[in-house]
Structures are given as C-alpha cells and as structure tokens.
Amino acid sequence: MNDQQLLRYSRHILLQEIGIEGQQRLLDSRVLIIGLGGLGSPAALYLAASGVGQLTLCDHDTVDFSNLQRQIIHRTGMAGQSKVVSAQAALREINPEVECVAVPIRADEALLRELAAQADVVLDCSDNFVTRYAVNRACLARRKPLVSGAAIQFHGQVAVFDYRRDDAPCYNCLFPEDSEAEELRCATTGVFSPLVGIIGTLQAAEALKLLIGIERGLSGKLLSVNALDMNILRSNLSKDPACRTCSGNSVRAIAVKQENS
C-alpha cells in the first residue's frame, strides 16, 4: 500500500482483527454483486469505500424514479439510465481505485457460473426467487461463499452460505424451490426505506469478514430483522440431507436454535 492508501484505510488498519494484512486482502479481492437496487446500493457503497479491489455489478434494469426512495447509489439525474452504469459513476466518486465491472444484462445460469468463478464472494441482492435459486446453484457449483439478503415491507433477512465447507446448508435447504413460498414485490407491497440499508449494509459486513478471514459471523445462520418493532432474531441452520440442490433430493433446512440479539 502507498501512503495515500494507508491514510484512506487507516481506521481499518487500526483494528486488530484487520490490520495491514487484512486490508491488503480486501485490496486483492473480487466481489460479485447481483442486483443494484435497495440491497445492492448500500452493499456496493461500503465494499467500495472499504477498498475491495474489484466489484462486478450485474443488473439488467434501469433507474426508475420510484427507486430513488431507497436505492441510495442512484441519483435523480440518472433516472432512465442503466443501474450498473449509474452505480459505476457513484462508486468512482467514492473510491476511484476500485475497479467496477459492469454487466448490464439479465444473467442466465451459465453466465452466473462464469461470474461466480471469478469472484471471491458473491452477494445476492436480487428481488426474486428465480434469480436467488440460480445464484445459489452457481455459487454451490463453484464453491464460492454466498451472502444472501432480502427485504420487503418492514421485514428483512441475511444469511451466509459458505460453500467452501462441505457441511454448509444452501439457500434451497432454507427455502425449497418446490415449496409454495409467496413472492412479494416492493412495487405492490412497499418497503421501508431504511430497512434495505440495514440489510444491504449487513451483507457488506459479512462479505468483508469473509474476504479478510474473520470466522465470526453469519455462516450457517439466518439473521431476521423486524424494523417495525426493531427485533432481531438469529437462527442456526443445518444442511438438509434431502435437499435436491446440495444433497440430491428435496426440501428444507431446520432452524435448530434461535437467539435473540
């Protein structure tokens, strides 16, 4: 690191758990972010500010005026523009040292596998089950850690699936693809603006710890946030031996322990 970098990242370097070695790991790392909306916006901002070397930004959508209530990486003047182009411009202002790779298309499963292979950590900041299941399969196939987030109305959640470990549960263990889970959309049910900031920032925090090598975190756990009552619940997850994605067949992970925090 040069003198300017030592100054920029000095507050990280002062932390015993990070130090110069940990910060250098961040500078050398690559993160894939799927979705530059409510969750991807704060996640990308904090990852860039923290000095992650390369951010690959994947989103096919454009900035809509209704996005501006919560998708804080986008500015009013970027309405109608590609979200990844808008995000690139904002991140360049935050930290010009970070390489931002724009992927302005809806990634199919083959492309997701290719992108995941090039990343050290993947953040799923998408807003639909089809994409979440595809990202899960891609990360599992490439054995890449996945930080998954979701938020709707006043409720959000974050989970970390570390596929470098053979005993890690997968997203499909938690939410089986053949279940009848209801898919809610912000456009029809609404979402509390700060909630997506909370969840996206938590995703960034978990990603940074994975990159640095800090083992304390949400690996194999689900953190649920109720922003209306401001209740936070952490559940341990177990790998489902019958999961058709990571174990061969079907259904569900079990929350074996819940801890109020």
Side-chain angles (χ1 to χ4, degrees):
M1 278 182 278
N2 56 39
D3 289 345
Q4 189 175 48
Q5 289 173 318
L6 289 170
L7 178 60
R8 177 185 284 269
Y9 306 118
S10 60
R11 301 306 189 268
H12 263 178
I13 293 169
L14 287 170
L15 296 172
Q16 182 178 355
E17 294 83 356
I18 300 180
I20 289 181
E21 181 179 347
Q23 185 60 50
Q24 188 61 55
R25 289 181 182 178
L26 295 180
L27 293 172
D28 296 337
S29 65
R30 298 173 296 179
V31 172
L32 169 62
I33 303 176
I34 307 296
L36 272 298
L39 304 180
S41 290
L45 289 170
Y46 271 104
L47 292 174
S50 296
V52 170
Q54 182 188 85
L55 295 177
T56 298
L57 313 173
C58 183
D59 197 315
H60 71 286
D61 206 359
T62 57
V63 179
D64 185 80
F65 208 70
S66 65
N67 299 152
L68 302 176
Q69 163 253 11
R70 66 200 176 280
Q71 299 181 16
I72 60 172
I73 203 168
H74 307 300
R75 302 296 180 258
T76 301
M78 297 303 289
Q81 300 297 311
S82 163
K83 284 188 177 179
V84 293
V85 172
S86 172
Q88 271 187 316
L91 296 176
R92 194 174 296 118
E93 291 294 317
I94 294 288
N95 191 346
E97 294 182 349
V98 176
E99 179 186 2
C100 294
V101 179
V103 183
I105 59 175
R106 186 190 294 275
D108 60 17
E109 200 140 344
L111 179 56
L112 285 172
R113 288 196 180 202
E114 179 182 337
L115 294 174
Q118 300 167 12
D120 299 305
V121 173
V122 177
L123 272 67
D124 183 357
C125 301
S126 65
D127 63 354
N128 64 89
F129 281 123
V130 171
T131 301
R132 290 168 188 156
Y133 291 129
V135 172
N136 178 62
R137 289 190 293 267
C139 291
L140 183 63
R142 299 303 189 186
R143 298 181 70 89
K144 300 293 184 177
L146 169 62
V147 183
S148 176
I152 195 72
Q153 297 177 334
F154 288 91
H155 303 278
Q157 60 190 33
V158 181
V160 175
F161 306 98
D162 191 349
Y163 297 130
R164 298 171 299 184
R165 299 176 49 177
D166 292 333
D167 62 343
C170 82
Y171 183 83
N172 192 75
C173 290
L174 180 60
F175 298 109
E177 193 165 359
D178 56 359
S179 69
E180 297 181 358
E182 183 181 7
E183 184 166 277
L184 302 177
R185 294 295 183 92
C186 296
T188 56
T189 61
V191 64
F192 186 45
S193 174
L195 174 65
V196 294
I198 293 168
I199 300 301
T201 302
L202 287 171
Q203 287 184 267
E206 290 302 305
L208 291 170
K209 288 187 292 181
L210 286 166
L211 294 169
I212 293 166
I214 298 174
E215 296 185 1
R216 298 168 62 182
L218 292 178
S219 180
K221 297 179 175 63
L222 174 71
L223 190 73
S224 301
V225 178
N226 180 334
L228 192 59
D229 300 321
M230 205 47 75
N231 288 332
I232 299 175
L233 186 69
R234 189 172 68 176
S235 305
N236 290 341
L237 304 174
S238 63
K239 185 181 180 75
D240 177 16
C243 175
R244 72 179 187 181
T245 299
C246 67
S247 298
N249 292 310
S250 179
V251 239
R252 161 193 268 148
I254 303 168
V256 294
K257 184 180 179 184
Q258 294 185 331
E259 305 167 351
N260 285 312
S261 59

